[in-house]
Amino acid sequence: MGATASQLPKDLLSEYQELTFLTKQEILLAHKRFTELVTREGRTSAVTRVPMEKILTLPELKSNPFRKRICHVFSTSELKDGSLTFEDFLDLLSAFSDSATLEIKSHYAFRIFDFDDDGTLDQGDLEKLVNCLTGDTEDTRLTTEEMRQLISNILEESDIDKDGTVNLSEFQHVISRSPDFVSSFKIVL
Amino acid sequence: MCYFEGQGYYSTEQSLRLRRLSSRVPNQNAAPHFDWGSSPEGGKDDGEEEPRNLRELAMPLYMKKKVWQVQQMRIPVASGRVRRSRALRLFYAEARNALAMVTLWRRAIHKIGGHFGGGVQSYFVFLRFLVVLNFLSFLLIAGFVLIPSIVFHSLPFNTSISHMPNTTNITGLEQCMVYDPNPGALTVFYIYFLDLLSGTGFMEYSYMFYGYYNNTMVVVDESFSYNIPLAYLLTVSFYFLFCLFCIIVRMGGVARVAVATGGGAAGGYSMMVFTGWDYGLQGGCATRLKQNNIRYQLQVDLEEERLKLKARSLTLLQTVGLYTLRGFLNLIVIALILGAFTAIAAATTFSQKNQRDGIVGLLLEYLPSIVITVSNFVVPFLCDLIAQLENHNPSTTIILALLRAVFLRLVSLAVLLYTLWSNITCENGMDTGCEPCSYNYQQYQCWETRIGQEMYKLTLFDFLTTIAVLILLEFPRRMVVDNCSNKLIQWVGRQEFLVPPNVLGLVYAQTVVWTGALFCPLLPLVNTIKFVIIFYCKKITLFHNCRPAVKVFRSTSSNIVFFLVLLFGWILASTVLIYSMAEIHPSYGCGPFRFSSSMWSTIPESFQNLPHTAQDFLTYIGSQAFSIPLFIFSCVLLCYVAALASVYGKSVALLKAQLKLEGRDKQFLVKQIEELQKKLKPKQDPMGPMALSHDHVQATCDPQDSYSSSPPLHSYALD
């Protein structure tokens, strides 16, 4: 498959370099990895979509508890099936790259944590988020009492306007005070 | 100038609109946030920033591509400035890339972070920092002391090598000048090995140690002369300042981050939940472990909170009982630590008094090192047992254990040095051998070399114990745990990689090197090699023998602690340096300072040889006329910075208040709208009242919110 699709036109490459935080090598590597995912007959172009199940076989994403959310957030598919084009894939890697800014990272983190896509983190979102963090099986979940205490603590700390949900600016306020975030919100191929 | 609506942050109105969009548009990602209708001048204004801005926009790539194409059309011929700035940016990108390629152990550290998380990674980053620091120090010493010394040793003697003028009257001190480091001519092979371990024999009189360096000043011609004692002293002093500078710079970076986060204490839960996940983790095992870590930490913190509530409800009697218990246990801990110190002092004195040959001699030589290492194994272990009785909350327990261990480690080194010192200067009152030479010349013909050897032995022994623990303890433990299904053994499990004790080991090793650097100039090189080997050993043991720790060490707050401890070690070492430079008489028999009354006196002597203008200048810098204005100036600067900090703090508070106010406005409006709705629309659509009311809220809220944010809301037409 490599012979047909491994070449990225030079002007496109420089365009991608302009528009993402990735370096040339990273884009080329991403292209290589992406073409490996595409089925044999499909040629990689800007419109080739790789279904979410295939994307999730990448070892970098395979065990991430947020893998499905990540795909959904970066997918531009009309069907909302989480499938990614190569450009979506680059978007993903750019947001998770070393040199992406805190704003970009926190923006996408917020979208990932916003499970119901309603623009704020409410109690349900927080509960799902905590379950993702602790592992979502019977014996790894927090008890109901602990969960209640935790969510009320989180809202107590970060819900500045006291409307019962955490919105993006409040979220970014928390993130901006966490120095580890930029280094941990990182996926490198 | 607002070119894009939605640069960087979504402001409130955007997030609200997003909420509305999601209920209507099937795919919110496609929601265009770009204002196509802005004026072309705007485009030109922002022209140079655009590509960067585009990159920082949170929108899908295909959108960005279109915007970019439009921009390219608007600026048909890129002006020279734009092109130059682009070329510059590309150059920076390439340079950063190249720099990343040469960074030491980049892949390895990345992999470690991926498997074991940030805390363990920070240990390896710290180790890398120390390796680089030691290597640079070695280059410094090699460039100014070692290479000149080698060159002058091998120089044909027709260039004038003048010995330093004797400043002290040495008549009657001939007995002090006896120094014969190489007694035996032929030695058995295994003696070489023993010498290598203890720094004696062939090692003693070599470039390794202080005693070998000459007190010569080489004058090649009128314009060039090289004074080795001066170079030696200045290099070592500069080495200390250089290390301090590196630590401060690194610590400044870390501290800035920690201060910006407000100490990290407030907002602990949100921080943990929002930023706790490490997206770089790969593999199911690492993920599960991280999940366990987070769950454990959350549970511990919640538990801690409950405990605090309980502690507040304790009766007076119970509180008094608890504090009495803690006081008593602290007394035991202090007694243990003092006992360790006494043992170290006794062992040092004993091993200095009894010099023998062969294996027994080697054991005697290593006695202080062994005692220090053993006490550093045993006492913290006992302290941990005691800490379980103390009933502190978990985070306090960790900090307390770390503080005790730091205290023990560094002060035991100080005790060793103090004991050596009092032996050298005959302050222990037993010897009367100090009379003519002002140091104990019978026992220490060249005391500087002896201290250098002592530090060399400590370094080597520390290294050997690390390797031995790896081979004899960690590896067998893993073998047993992996191959034995006994329940008890499985419960014990593989060992954890605990970050604090490991970091403490590094700091201790570095402190030893600093202490010995004056007396053993090649110690930084030895330490570089040692740390490189330790890096690989620790990496191997991490991947093969360890499971990640259940308790998480927060990498940011811990980084500061690492550097603070390192700074403490540096202070200890520089105290030793200053004391030995200013107070003790240098040996008569060896070294570059053999005829000076103290090492420091070389500086005033060479000061006399400087040209007059330089002398005047330096005198002026040292005078009150210079220092008082400098002091006043730094006070003013400090006041300015303090004022700036308080202003920033106020503005943060103001912004918070503003955010709160906006939230209240929003709630107020929501209430009003609900009332209006009740009046106007008694009938509701079957989707439920909330969806509709939300839409109305947005419509009314948006203008309300817009006063707070400058961008005019161009793009509403698109909705």
Side-chain angles (χ1 to χ4, degrees):
Chain A
M1 69 190 100
T4 53
S6 66
Q7 289 304 311
L8 208 57
K10 208 164 180 197
D11 53 334
L12 205 58
L13 186 65
S14 70
E15 205 172 311
Y16 288 148
Q17 250 175 297
E18 282 292 332
L19 296 177
T20 63
F21 290 101
L22 303 171
T23 62
K24 201 163 130 193
Q25 279 83 357
E26 284 168 331
I27 293 173
L28 289 175
L29 180 63
H31 192 254
K32 186 166 155 278
R33 296 290 294 274
F34 193 78
T35 42
E36 282 166 10
L37 291 175
V38 179
T39 41
R40 201 164 277 270
E41 58 273 18
R43 269 179 59 99
T44 326
S45 70
V47 291
T48 319
R49 290 202 163 273
V50 174
M52 184 165 74
E53 291 71 36
K54 272 236 170 97
I55 296 284
L56 295 185
T57 56
L58 286 172
E60 284 81 8
L61 283 172
K62 202 169 165 185
S63 55
N64 195 321
F66 297 103
R67 55 190 179 271
K68 286 188 180 157
R69 280 303 303 163
I70 292 176
C71 280
H72 276 295
V73 164
F74 285 96
S75 164
T76 53
S77 156
E78 298 286 325
L79 303 169
K80 294 188 87 175
D81 57 355
S83 59
L84 296 187
T85 64
F86 176 57
E87 290 185 352
D88 297 342
F89 188 58
L90 281 186
D91 259 339
L92 189 157
L93 291 178
S94 168
F96 279 103
S97 74
D98 258 332
S99 41
T101 57
L102 181 67
E103 282 93 31
I104 281 286
K105 280 177 186 282
S106 56
H107 172 96
Y108 280 112
F110 184 79
R111 296 253 300 263
I112 289 169
F113 295 159
D114 184 14
F115 285 82
D116 52 7
D117 287 328
D118 67 348
T120 64
L121 303 184
D122 50 24
Q123 300 226 2
D125 288 329
L126 291 177
E127 199 175 324
K128 278 183 196 156
L129 169 57
V130 173
N131 278 339
C132 274
L133 286 176
T134 60
D136 199 3
T137 57
E138 268 315 312
D139 53 334
T140 58
R141 240 179 259 168
L142 295 182
T143 62
T144 325
E145 174 58 22
E146 282 172 334
M147 183 66 90
R148 196 193 54 73
Q149 201 189 346
L150 179 61
I151 288 178
S152 78
N153 277 331
I154 291 173
L155 289 177
E156 178 74 24
E157 285 166 2
S158 38
D159 181 20
I160 299 172
D161 62 9
K162 301 292 171 217
D163 64 348
T165 60
V166 179
N167 62 32
L168 184 72
S169 47
E170 288 162 352
F171 180 76
Q172 281 175 326
H173 178 67
V174 174
I175 297 280
S176 69
R177 300 188 310 157
S178 162
D180 293 342
F181 177 70
V182 174
S183 57
S184 67
F185 195 78
K186 200 161 73 179
I187 295 178
V188 182
L189 278 189
Chain B
M1 176 69 226
C2 164
Y3 190 63
F4 304 124
E5 194 257 86
Q7 271 173 339
Y9 291 100
Y10 277 132
S11 47
T12 321
E13 81 271 12
Q14 287 168 313
S15 94
L16 287 172
R17 197 150 31 74
L18 198 70
R19 203 186 309 185
R20 179 169 36 156
L21 279 172
S22 63
S23 57
R24 288 184 189 159
V25 186
N27 183 1
Q28 61 156 312
N29 295 335
H33 294 305
F34 179 62
D35 173 26
W36 300 91
S38 74
S39 58
E41 294 94 285
K44 265 171 199 159
D45 279 351
D46 294 355
E48 285 157 50
E49 298 293 327
E50 265 160 20
R52 214 178 67 86
N53 273 348
L54 265 184
R55 205 184 275 177
E56 286 172 8
L57 277 184
M59 57 164 131
L61 194 59
Y62 77 93
M63 290 280 300
K64 284 196 248 181
K65 247 165 94 179
K66 279 180 198 156
V67 176
W68 199 59
Q69 278 158 8
V70 172
Q71 278 170 5
Q72 294 298 305
M73 279 191 288
R74 280 191 187 157
I75 318 164
V77 186
S79 64
R81 228 171 113 203
V82 172
R83 227 177 317 158
R84 257 202 310 281
S85 78
R86 232 177 89 183
L88 207 64
R89 221 174 30 244
L90 275 178
F91 173 73
Y92 278 137
E94 288 294 323
R96 232 189 6 246
N97 220 359
L99 203 68
M101 292 296 234
V102 297
T103 309
L104 195 63
W105 298 323
R106 195 175 53 94
R107 294 302 300 185
I109 287 181
H110 176 72
K111 198 175 155 203
I112 290 165
H115 281 83
F116 294 90
V120 177
Q121 194 181 12
S122 69
Y123 165 81
F124 282 89
V125 171
F126 188 65
L127 180 53
R128 180 176 67 183
F129 166 72
L130 288 181
V131 167
V132 173
L133 182 70
N134 276 301
F135 187 66
L136 290 179
S137 314
F138 164 68
L139 288 185
L140 187 75
I141 289 173
F144 287 102
V145 177
L146 187 65
I147 293 175
S149 290
I150 293 174
V151 169
F152 298 152
H153 260 283
S154 58
L155 220 55
F157 275 82
N158 49 15
T159 40
S160 72
I161 295 181
S162 69
H163 285 264
M164 291 300 288
N166 301 345
T167 52
T168 45
N169 188 11
I170 55 161
T171 45
L173 296 174
E174 283 81 10
Q175 50 173 334
C176 304
M177 296 177 63
V178 180
Y179 178 53
D180 184 19
N182 275 327
L186 273 172
T187 42
V188 199
F189 177 71
Y190 94 103
I191 298 282
Y192 272 113
F193 183 68
L194 292 186
D195 285 345
L196 189 69
L197 283 180
S198 54
T200 51
F202 78 99
M203 293 274 289
E204 181 163 344
Y205 202 61
S206 69
Y207 288 109
M208 192 80 196
F209 292 109
Y210 169 93
Y212 188 66
Y213 290 85
N214 276 339
N215 64 336
T216 50
M217 177 156 107
V218 175
V219 182
V220 178
D221 56 45
E222 283 298 300
S223 60
F224 179 79
S225 63
Y226 201 89
N227 185 344
I228 288 193
L230 190 64
Y232 195 97
L233 199 64
L234 287 182
T235 307
V236 173
S237 312
F238 186 74
Y239 163 63
F240 266 72
L241 291 180
F242 172 72
C243 290
L244 179 67
F245 178 74
C246 287
I247 297 170
I248 296 281
V249 166
R250 281 296 286 250
M251 200 162 92
V254 178
R256 225 177 1 248
V257 171
V259 169
T261 58
Y269 293 105
S270 352
M271 209 85 99
M272 211 185 304
V273 168
F274 291 153
T275 67
W277 190 257
D278 197 333
Y279 290 77
L281 288 182
Q282 291 178 25
C285 185
T287 312
R288 262 196 310 283
L289 273 165
K290 181 78 186 173
Q291 286 177 333
N292 287 346
N293 274 343
I294 290 178
R295 190 177 64 250
Y296 174 83
Q297 213 178 348
L298 284 174
Q299 281 170 340
V300 164
D301 282 9
L302 291 171
E303 181 73 33
E304 213 169 287
E305 201 178 339
R306 258 175 263 149
L307 279 179
K308 262 185 209 155
L309 282 177
K310 218 172 91 186
R312 248 175 253 154
S313 64
L314 277 182
T315 62
L316 185 68
L317 200 66
Q318 281 169 316
T319 320
V320 169
L322 186 65
Y323 279 97
T324 323
L325 180 70
R326 279 183 194 169
F328 176 67
L329 290 172
N330 268 317
L331 281 182
I332 294 183
V333 169
I334 291 172
L336 272 175
I337 292 178
L338 286 181
F341 292 161
T342 321
I344 291 165
T348 312
T349 315
F350 184 72
S351 94
Q352 294 295 319
K353 289 266 155 66
N354 299 285
Q355 304 278 332
R356 271 185 225 156
D357 291 335
I359 292 290
V360 183
L362 187 73
L363 270 180
L364 273 176
E365 295 259 350
Y366 269 94
L367 194 62
S369 313
I370 293 170
V371 174
I372 286 184
T373 311
V374 168
S375 64
N376 275 319
F377 266 117
V378 173
V379 177
F381 180 70
L382 292 176
C383 284
D384 280 352
L385 287 183
I386 289 172
Q388 286 177 359
L389 298 174
E390 277 185 315
N391 235 342
H392 283 298
N393 55 33
S395 52
T396 319
T397 310
I398 291 182
I399 292 173
L400 215 59
L402 190 65
L403 281 180
R404 281 171 186 161
V406 168
F407 185 70
L408 181 70
R409 276 256 169 169
L410 295 183
V411 179
S412 59
L413 189 63
V415 168
L416 169 75
L417 284 165
Y418 180 76
T419 320
L420 275 175
W421 253 232
S422 56
N423 279 346
I424 289 167
T425 55
C426 311
E427 269 168 19
N428 51 6
M430 290 191 294
D431 297 296
T432 47
C434 294
E435 265 316 305
C437 317
S438 58
Y439 62 91
N440 192 347
Y441 69 96
Q442 283 164 342
Q443 206 180 331
Y444 305 96
Q445 288 174 336
C446 185
W447 61 266
E448 291 94 340
T449 298
R450 277 294 282 281
I451 293 179
Q453 285 169 341
E454 216 55 50
M455 296 301 126
Y456 172 76
K457 278 183 285 184
L458 280 179
T459 303
L460 215 60
F461 190 72
D462 185 51
F463 176 60
L464 293 178
T465 18
T466 310
I467 303 286
V469 165
L470 170 70
I471 295 174
L472 300 179
L473 218 70
E474 297 179 355
F475 186 64
R477 179 170 169 181
R478 203 256 316 198
M479 294 296 276
V480 170
V481 169
D482 283 4
N483 297 325
C484 193
S485 56
N486 186 330
K487 240 193 189 137
L488 180 71
I489 288 170
Q490 284 306 313
W491 180 75
V492 170
R494 286 180 173 204
Q495 63 151 354
E496 289 178 2
F497 190 86
L498 295 172
V499 179
N502 275 301
V503 167
L504 201 60
L506 290 184
V507 170
Y508 167 74
Q510 186 58 44
T511 308
V512 169
V513 169
W514 277 328
T515 315
L518 179 65
F519 313 109
C520 177
L522 290 190
L523 209 52
L525 176 67
V526 175
N527 203 39
T528 310
I529 298 166
K530 171 183 156 183
F531 277 171
V532 168
I533 298 174
I534 282 189
F535 182 92
Y536 287 108
C537 288
K538 288 283 176 189
K539 197 179 139 205
I540 290 169
T541 180
L542 186 66
F543 277 103
H544 294 275
N545 300 341
C546 287
R547 63 192 159 98
V550 186
K551 287 175 197 162
V552 179
F553 211 64
R554 288 192 193 110
S555 59
T556 316
S557 50
S558 56
N559 265 336
I560 277 221
V561 177
F562 297 168
F563 281 101
L564 276 179
V565 175
L566 193 63
L567 200 64
F568 185 65
W570 184 88
I571 291 169
L572 178 74
S574 52
T575 316
V576 173
L577 178 82
I578 291 169
Y579 181 70
S580 42
M581 270 185 0
E583 278 298 316
I584 307 184
H585 198 290
S587 307
Y588 287 95
C590 62
F593 305 99
R594 55 189 82 167
F595 298 123
S596 313
S597 56
S598 74
M599 293 188 195
W600 179 253
S601 64
T602 321
I603 304 268
E605 276 162 28
S606 45
F607 182 71
Q608 301 299 327
N609 299 335
L610 282 175
H612 265 286
T613 29
Q615 272 191 35
D616 288 344
F617 178 69
L618 289 174
T619 321
Y620 171 68
I621 285 193
S623 71
Q624 290 163 350
F626 181 76
S627 56
I628 290 176
L630 185 73
F631 178 71
I632 293 173
F633 176 72
S634 42
C635 281
V636 170
L637 201 69
L638 198 69
C639 284
Y640 172 70
V641 172
L644 213 62
S646 81
V647 166
Y648 283 140
K650 265 181 202 153
S651 68
V652 166
L654 261 174
L655 286 173
K656 256 188 194 170
Q658 196 183 343
L659 212 61
K660 224 177 267 184
L661 208 68
E662 277 174 27
R664 230 173 285 156
D665 279 349
K666 204 163 65 188
Q667 280 169 341
F668 171 70
L669 284 166
V670 169
K671 259 182 216 153
Q672 275 205 326
I673 294 212
E674 272 167 5
E675 280 169 22
L676 269 176
Q677 240 169 10
K678 272 177 206 158
K679 282 181 196 162
L680 292 177
K681 278 192 182 175
K683 59 174 174 38
Q684 290 293 348
D685 66 340
M687 283 296 284
M690 273 323 283
L692 195 63
S693 85
H694 252 308
D695 274 6
H696 280 270
V697 175
Q698 320 306 331
T700 334
C701 270
D702 289 344
Q704 174 68 29
D705 283 327
S706 69
Y707 70 81
S708 62
S709 54
S710 49
L713 309 169
H714 288 308
S715 61
Y716 276 120
L718 283 171
D719 294 340

